[in-house]
Amino acid sequence: LTQKDAPFRLLPFPPDICIDDTDNQTTINPNPMRSGRGRSDDVIAPSVSEDILYAACGTREFSSVTFLQIQLDAQEASVAQLGQICPNLVELKLNKSNIPSLRDLGTHLHFLEILWANSCSVLSLDGITNFPRLREVYLAFNSISTLPPLHSLDSLKLMDLERNNISDTLDLEFLGACKQLRTLTLARNPVHYTLGSSYVDTIKAILPHVDLLDDIPIDAPRDLPSEDEIPSLTINILRPTTSTNDHTPPSPSTSSTLYNARVASCEVMCGAPARIFYLNTRK
């Protein structure tokens, strides 16, 4: 059967619904049954239930709950209703959850002031603007690479971004709009290694209102990152041959040299390969 022969669209995968019985021609809409052959990603993940939150809160008076500590997997169950069930949350601790984007938390946490999401596989800060009252944000040990959504957090005083993927100082300028920001942690980000000895001076120039950088007063002496902290890579670099004969293959001894490189950030090399190399060192 081809698309030309069929009056309907052929599906590239087994259907989720099949017809149980069509013997009765008078039945316009026969009852379907599940085929069991459909794709699992078509199943809608369940939402966070009140029973789950009761186990975490110890009460069903959810409107009175201001602090919640819980581990959630946003890829297994929708967590967007969290703010609807607990609308007055002020502090939310999600450490070691799976929250790829803060947009997964929904738009109802209007009173949230302190957010812990360390080691939560966060890739994107999109959605953080839904929490305009945030004063403290802990997002260490994630994979965040850009900071534009932070520019609207007027109440932000503390930002912990230790060991993420921030490599561009231009991203730090978005934090410049957070005039109340006093405490910032950027240790073990690519930008930390890239700037080297100019790290503190650069932060002071971009964010003059920051007093505490990486848990150290910004004007206090500090050690530079040791070689053991900087990701090390072994990279094969091909050198162009000096031969005038285009048909002569270059000598391996002269065209390829093995380098042990200390890579400070993705900017050391051009393009996506450098980023892949850097991320691989963190596995």
Side-chain angles (χ1 to χ4, degrees):
L1 184 65
T2 66
Q3 182 69 51
K4 181 178 179 181
D5 299 325
F8 48 83
R9 182 172 60 90
L10 295 178
L11 299 178
F13 49 84
D16 288 332
I17 301 294
C18 66
I19 302 303
D20 185 13
D21 185 9
T22 57
D23 291 339
N24 186 357
Q25 299 298 323
T26 62
T27 303
I28 299 176
N29 294 312
N31 294 326
M33 71 174 184
R34 285 287 173 181
S35 68
R37 296 175 294 175
R39 298 173 299 172
S40 60
D41 60 354
D42 287 336
V43 179
I44 299 175
S47 301
V48 173
S49 68
E50 293 187 0
D51 290 337
I52 292 175
L53 293 179
Y54 171 70
C57 301
T59 180
R60 291 193 182 274
E61 297 294 330
F62 297 118
S63 61
S64 66
V65 176
T66 59
F67 173 83
L68 175 63
Q69 180 172 348
I70 192 171
Q71 289 184 352
L72 300 170
D73 189 344
Q75 293 182 317
E76 293 293 332
S78 172
V79 300
Q81 292 183 336
L82 182 61
Q84 291 177 296
I85 301 174
C86 299
N88 295 313
L89 277 178
V90 176
E91 303 180 38
L92 178 58
K93 205 164 193 176
L94 298 170
N95 292 343
K96 296 183 180 180
S97 295
N98 182 20
I99 314 287
S101 172
L102 296 186
R103 193 180 298 280
D104 294 330
L105 297 178
T107 60
H108 299 280
L109 295 170
H110 302 300
F111 300 103
L112 191 65
E113 296 184 7
I114 303 177
L115 173 64
W116 288 270
N118 298 315
S119 302
C120 286
S121 304
V122 180
L123 299 171
S124 171
L125 291 176
D126 289 346
I128 200 170
T129 54
N130 293 322
F131 323 128
R133 296 194 181 191
L134 280 176
R135 295 185 292 107
E136 299 180 14
V137 180
Y138 301 88
L139 290 167
F141 301 94
N142 286 294
S143 301
I144 299 163
S145 58
T146 58
L147 305 178
L150 296 177
H151 77 281
S152 63
L153 299 182
D154 298 332
S155 301
L156 188 64
K157 295 182 178 180
L158 182 151
M159 190 74 200
D160 185 354
L161 291 165
E162 180 181 355
R163 196 164 183 176
N164 276 271
N165 293 333
I166 302 164
S167 60
D168 196 336
T169 55
L170 293 177
D171 275 300
L172 301 180
E173 295 184 5
F174 292 103
L175 285 170
C178 306
K179 300 302 182 183
Q180 297 192 49
L181 184 65
R182 297 293 180 270
T183 302
L184 177 64
T185 302
L186 289 171
R188 295 200 281 178
N189 275 271
V191 69
H192 183 204
Y193 305 122
T194 303
L195 295 174
S197 59
S198 64
Y199 172 62
V200 175
D201 290 337
T202 302
I203 300 300
K204 289 170 66 174
I206 298 175
L207 305 170
H209 42 279
V210 170
D211 299 325
L212 196 67
L213 179 63
D214 301 338
D215 298 323
I216 302 173
I218 198 163
D219 291 321
R222 67 181 67 210
D223 297 328
L224 295 176
S226 65
E227 290 189 356
D228 293 335
E229 293 181 277
I230 301 175
S232 60
L233 303 177
T234 300
I235 305 172
N236 286 318
I237 301 178
L238 294 178
R239 292 178 176 172
T241 178
T242 56
S243 173
T244 57
N245 185 355
D246 294 337
H247 301 286
T248 302
S251 170
S253 61
T254 59
S255 64
S256 179
T257 304
L258 189 64
Y259 289 84
N260 289 321
R262 292 286 179 180
V263 177
S265 80
C266 304
E267 296 176 353
V268 173
M269 295 177 63
C270 296
R275 182 173 181 79
I276 295 171
F277 290 150
Y278 174 74
L279 295 177
N280 284 341
T281 64
R282 303 178 57 225
K283 292 182 178 179

